[in-house]
Amino acid sequence: MDRLVVEGGRPLEGTIGISGSKNAALPILIATLLTDEPCVVENCPTALRDIKTTVRLLESLGKRATVDGSSVRVESTGSLKTQAPYEIVKQMRASVLAAGPLLARFGLVRVPIPGGCAIGLRPIDIHLKGFEALGARRIADQGDIIMSAARLNAGPLRLRFPSVGATENLMMAAAATPGRTTISGAAREPEIADLGAFLTKLGAKVSGAGTSTVVVEGRARLKGARHAVIPDRIEAGTFLIAAAAARGRLRLTRADPAHLEAVIDALRRTGAAVKTGRGWIEIRMEKRPKPVSIRTAPYPGFPTDLQAPWTALMTLATGFAKVRETVFENRFMHAAELARMGAQIAASGATAVVAGVERLSGAPIMASDLRAGAALLIAALAAKGRTVISRVYHIDRGYEAVEKKLARAGARVERQK
Ligand code: UD1
């Protein structure tokens, strides 16, 4: 298993190009199940394991998917299967997104109950309730979810919580269901707006994607399309926070600052100088960060996926900061590992209080999930001495060629096989 060896304490200086968004590419690739015509999805982070798993999922359902650099071409090979294999779903929770398109097109879908990251319970009741409101029935429940419907009926839906996955799943189901479906209480993440743009290219009419009310005019038959995925705001945010922790001057290209307002605002309050323009963000940090408390929330709030990186930054603050997690349970697994590097964090329930220290020191540490892994990497870049991070496969789920990108900004990060 790979490890990352980081010689910390060097400022980040240079330019990093941001990849396409993993969380936008996943539903868009899965939405190609809605049509028999060819689709090309560009700017996909195809080096990421979750994208490879998605490609395998499409193939297991009967599509042919060809990866060429960062684009994925998806074509039909005949009829589609309506059953997602457990072996794939257990590796990637987002596989459940195949349910919406398949149910709407074929009136039947069977998906194993998903696995995925070890953060909290992550139920899928909002997805299922939504399908039921569109007229589907749940016919069995033994480790698998089976949903059936002679046909789905478009109509109004209201979500009890703005779940990103449920919003996407229901938008896809609605796109292949003739008539008008209104999803209120929808998630507002930029990835949802991107999916809406793709579904519109397929021939559905989607308005309000990216607001809390999404209206989808579905069609029985959808066509093929070509689409370039938006930049990964979480990857960009991670590098910005890394530069604030390690100091220096970092420029991100192919990034969208409009998707990172809450994070850029918090960074400025720590004392970082952040400049933005069309497609780029630049950060300069020369001193220890001021403490800035944050509370995660659905978009446009502070993203839960950057909570662990933010906690890592606050371990170096000139005072106390409070970090509250409101989206997922059990998302402070990085606290214990950061403590091994000298961080002072008291985590209890959904809140962590971080007392900033002058410096962290390198240590052998272990990534426990994707974003906790990113937090450890940030701490390692800022720490004095050498840090060895094991279980790097967690980090590889969300960050393409992370050591190469960081090396371009002067970091000393090496992968050991
Ligand atoms: C997506 C992102 C993930 C991000 C999260 C929140 C992808 C592939 N993943 O995950 O990186 O951290 O949004 O921004 O896009 N919930 C329920 N019932 C449901 C669905 C969700 O209770 O049916 C709860 C979850 O347990 C969680 C919260 O709602 O506590 C948020 O989940 P959701 O927005 O659905 O996140 P994902 O789509 O899984």
Side-chain angles (χ1 to χ4, degrees):
M1 269 190 291
D2 293 10
R3 301 187 302 175
L4 285 182
V5 181
V6 184
E7 299 290 346
R10 297 165 59 88
L12 293 179
E13 304 274 354
T15 302
I16 294 180
I18 296 304
S19 296
S21 161
K22 166 179 85 86
N23 286 351
L26 286 178
I28 289 172
L29 286 168
I30 290 174
T32 64
L33 293 169
L34 289 164
T35 174
D36 289 328
E37 293 182 20
C39 293
V40 179
V41 185
E42 295 166 342
N43 200 33
C44 278
T46 50
L48 297 184
R49 211 184 61 193
D50 281 4
I51 298 297
K52 292 184 179 152
T53 307
T54 307
V55 164
R56 283 206 294 130
L57 174 70
L58 293 175
E59 285 173 337
S60 74
L61 292 169
K63 288 282 193 189
R64 180 186 311 123
T66 320
V67 176
D68 177 13
S70 63
S71 48
V72 184
R73 184 181 171 85
V74 186
E75 290 160 299
S76 156
T77 63
S79 61
L80 287 173
K81 300 202 183 82
T82 54
Q83 185 166 346
Y86 175 64
E87 177 255 323
I88 293 180
V89 179
K90 75 168 190 229
Q91 280 181 33
M92 191 184 66
R93 203 189 116 80
S95 311
V96 76
L97 294 176
L102 295 175
L103 180 63
R105 283 192 71 188
F106 307 109
L108 183 69
V109 69
R110 181 177 191 132
V111 200
I113 307 260
C117 272
I119 44 170
L121 287 169
R122 303 193 103 176
I124 53 166
D125 59 298
I126 304 172
H127 304 234
L128 300 180
K129 269 237 171 66
F131 293 141
E132 278 166 351
L134 293 175
R137 281 194 309 146
R138 237 161 114 173
I139 53 176
D141 205 350
Q142 303 145 341
D144 283 7
I145 294 157
I146 302 174
M147 304 283 299
S148 80
R151 62 184 188 93
L152 294 183
N153 299 311
L157 303 174
R158 169 166 287 282
L159 312 189
R160 70 163 170 86
F161 176 86
S163 154
V164 173
T167 304
E168 293 166 347
N169 223 339
L170 295 166
M171 281 168 68
M172 291 190 280
T177 302
R180 170 191 289 229
T181 296
T182 306
I183 307 172
S184 15
R188 294 188 277 166
E189 270 67 2
E191 293 75 21
I192 291 186
D194 207 27
L195 175 64
F198 183 66
L199 295 176
T200 299
K201 289 182 186 172
L202 295 184
K205 227 172 104 195
V206 181
S207 59
T211 75
S212 55
T213 307
V214 183
V215 182
V216 182
E217 308 253 9
R219 283 170 175 268
R221 217 190 183 85
L222 295 170
K223 50 184 198 257
R226 176 181 287 271
H227 185 76
V229 170
I230 56 170
D232 197 312
R233 64 192 166 98
I234 304 300
E235 186 198 19
T238 302
F239 287 133
L240 292 175
I241 296 170
R247 305 182 201 170
R249 186 187 202 129
L250 186 66
R251 185 180 170 91
L252 304 180
T253 54
R254 286 183 275 132
D256 192 339
H259 297 162
L260 278 160
E261 278 178 11
V263 179
I264 290 174
D265 176 61
L267 281 167
R268 284 187 174 136
R269 284 189 285 134
T270 67
V274 185
K275 285 196 216 152
T276 63
R278 220 192 132 117
W280 61 268
I281 308 174
E282 210 174 82
I283 182 165
R284 207 179 67 235
M285 184 67 155
E286 272 149 13
K287 35 189 194 305
R288 266 176 82 186
K290 288 183 220 152
V292 175
S293 297
I294 57 119
R295 180 174 167 277
T296 66
Y299 191 84
F302 194 97
T304 173
D305 287 345
L306 290 174
Q307 177 265 106
W310 192 261
T311 305
L313 174 63
M314 287 300 104
T315 65
L316 291 162
T318 52
F320 289 90
K322 207 174 189 183
V323 176
R324 273 195 62 201
E325 175 59 64
T326 74
V327 178
F328 285 106
E329 305 152 42
N330 195 15
R331 228 182 182 185
F332 282 116
M333 284 178 297
H334 43 290
E337 296 299 302
L338 288 171
R340 293 168 51 80
M341 302 178 73
Q344 303 270 343
I345 305 173
S348 142
T351 306
V353 176
V354 189
V357 294
E358 172 97 42
R359 63 165 64 247
L360 300 173
S361 16
I365 48 175
M366 203 164 76
S368 58
D369 69 58
L370 167 54
R371 306 305 170 184
L376 299 185
L377 182 54
I378 289 168
L381 290 168
K384 193 176 157 67
R386 166 183 292 212
T387 297
V388 180
I389 307 176
S390 53
R391 303 212 176 153
V392 176
Y393 57 87
H394 285 300
I395 299 176
D396 292 336
R397 277 189 86 152
Y399 299 89
E400 272 191 325
V402 71
E403 72 279 15
K404 293 196 185 105
K405 289 192 182 189
L406 285 169
R408 244 169 262 152
R412 290 221 179 119
V413 186
E414 208 182 285
R415 183 177 292 259
Q416 280 183 352
K417 294 274 173 194

